[in-house]
Amino acid sequence: QLQLQESGPGLVKPSETLSLTCTVSGGSISSSGYYWGWIRQPPGKGLEWIGSIYSSGNTYYNPSFKSRVTITVDTSKNQFSLKLSSVTAADTTVYYCARHPDSGSLDYWGRGTLVTVSS
Amino acid sequence: QSALTQPASVSGSPGQSITISCTGTSSDVGGYNYVSWYQQHPGKAPKLMIYDVSNRPSGVSNRFSGSKSGNTASLTISGLQAEDEADYYCSSYTSSNTLVVFGGGTKLTVL
């Protein structure tokens, strides 16, 4: 059974860079035909896609974040990572990692991790 | 403002059927058969219920069904059960710069 687990600091200071890692177990991040994505959800609000990466390194970003976001993959560790720079209080949300084919259906999700931006 | 439009809330009694709509454009819902639906209980991660408009992943009850007409997709839940009370989100592949777009979510209340 494929499992995804987010990890990283739960508290980030304003203007700094948020860094999260998603570790994939029970399967290979190099599996053909799948992307690995980051989605966020402010408390009590809806889902927002941040971006996705293919195992080859090709990335797709939500234009709303494009200037601040970087997603990378480390196939040797079966992990992919999110960096979001110049964070503000508006970036205080639950961050999820997930897998999807190119059709975009997110079939496996991590449990999510709450990141709070505060000094 | 979300890219896809869903009603904020719907409700139904146990045993009844309800339908949640998801309206987009020809660049997303109307242009591709790549609409998905997710169920989210409080404090939990979303769970994929329907993919590619009308397909159910293994293990999802056949009480859940999906369809699409033009730029609007729909999720129907038949034989409502108390455990179906949750938030439901639609998503679609999009030809815009964004790969995936979500609806704003619909809160289902089982009366």
Side-chain angles (χ1 to χ4, degrees), chain B residues 2 9 34 88 95 100 104:
Chain B
S2 302
S9 63
Y34 292 148
Y88 290 84
S95 60
V100 176

Side-chain angles (χ1 to χ4, degrees), chain B residues 1-110:
Chain B
Q1 187 171 357
S2 302
L4 306 180
T5 301
Q6 298 180 234
S9 63
V10 298
S11 63
S13 300
Q16 289 185 331
S17 295
I18 63 96
T19 297
I20 300 172
S21 63
C22 171
T23 301
T25 69
S26 58
S27 295
D28 37 65
V29 174
Y32 307 92
N33 289 323
Y34 292 148
V35 175
S36 301
W37 289 91
Y38 305 89
Q39 176 192 65
Q40 187 179 34
H41 288 110
K44 300 293 187 181
K47 174 186 176 183
L48 181 66
M49 305 300 285
I50 297 287
Y51 68 96
D52 296 352
V53 175
S54 59
N55 294 300
R56 281 187 308 275
S58 175
V60 171
S61 170
N62 59 9
R63 297 186 299 106
F64 291 83
S65 61
S67 62
K68 189 187 84 166
S69 178
N71 294 338
T72 299
S74 299
L75 171 72
T76 298
I77 308 174
S78 60
L80 269 181
Q81 299 179 0
E83 67 206 48
D84 299 331
E85 185 163 293
D87 293 326
Y88 290 84
Y89 294 90
C90 64
S91 76
S92 175
Y93 173 85
T94 174
S95 60
S96 71
N97 290 338
T98 304
L99 191 62
V100 176
V101 290
F102 286 103
T106 299
K107 182 175 181 58
L108 169 62
T109 301
V110 180

Side-chain angles (χ1 to χ4, degrees), chain A residues 76-87:
Chain A
S76 67
K77 294 182 178 179
N78 231 30
Q79 296 176 334
F80 62 107
S81 298
L82 168 72
K83 290 189 185 299
L84 187 65
S85 64
S86 305
V87 296

